[in-house]
Amino acid sequence: MTKSGKHTGNKLEALLDLFEGLALNKPGKELYLKHKWAVEAVEPADVIDVVDQLVQKEIPMDQIKTGISKALNLLYQTLSSLPVPEPVYGGFLF
C-alpha cells in the first residue's frame, strides 16, 4: 500500500476514515485536516477500494451515498488534475 512521505498511516485507511466519518456526519473540516495528505495523494482506484470497504461494513446505503458525495467534493481537485489515459483501440471505451 502507498504511504506518503512523513506520514506513517496507510492512505487507504485514512481515506476510509474520511469517507466513513463524512457518511456518519462527523465534522468534515476536522476530518479533512486530519487526512489532507491522503486527499492530496488520492488516485481513482483508491476511491473504488474505499467505497467497496464501506459497503462491506454494512453502513446503510443512504449514509454511504451521502459520505461519497461529500468526499468526492473534497477529492475533486486532486482527481481532476490526474491525466486521463487514452482508450485502447478495440477496447471497451473505444
Side-chain angles (χ1 to χ4, degrees):
M1 301 275 168
T2 305
K3 292 187 180 182
S4 177
K6 64 182 178 179
H7 302 283
T8 57
N10 179 282
K11 180 173 62 167
L12 289 178
E13 289 174 4
L15 291 170
L16 180 61
D17 186 55
L18 174 69
F19 274 62
E20 188 173 2
L22 292 171
L24 300 174
N25 290 316
K26 293 183 179 177
K29 184 175 181 179
E30 291 176 22
L31 288 167
Y32 173 74
L33 293 174
K34 179 179 178 184
H35 301 301
K36 183 178 178 186
W37 66 272
V39 169
E40 292 173 348
V42 72
E43 298 174 10
D46 299 333
V47 176
I48 293 168
D49 287 341
V50 169
V51 170
D52 181 56
Q53 290 180 44
L54 287 174
V55 171
Q56 290 179 25
K57 286 184 169 212
E58 299 181 9
I59 296 172
M61 190 55 65
D62 287 345
Q63 289 179 316
I64 290 175
K65 290 183 345 188
T66 299
I68 290 170
S69 178
K70 291 176 181 179
L72 288 176
N73 284 330
L74 291 175
L75 303 175
Y76 175 78
Q77 186 173 0
T78 303
L79 292 173
S80 66
S81 70
L82 296 173
V84 177
E86 292 291 323
V88 177
Y89 180 77
F92 176 72
L93 296 176
F94 194 77

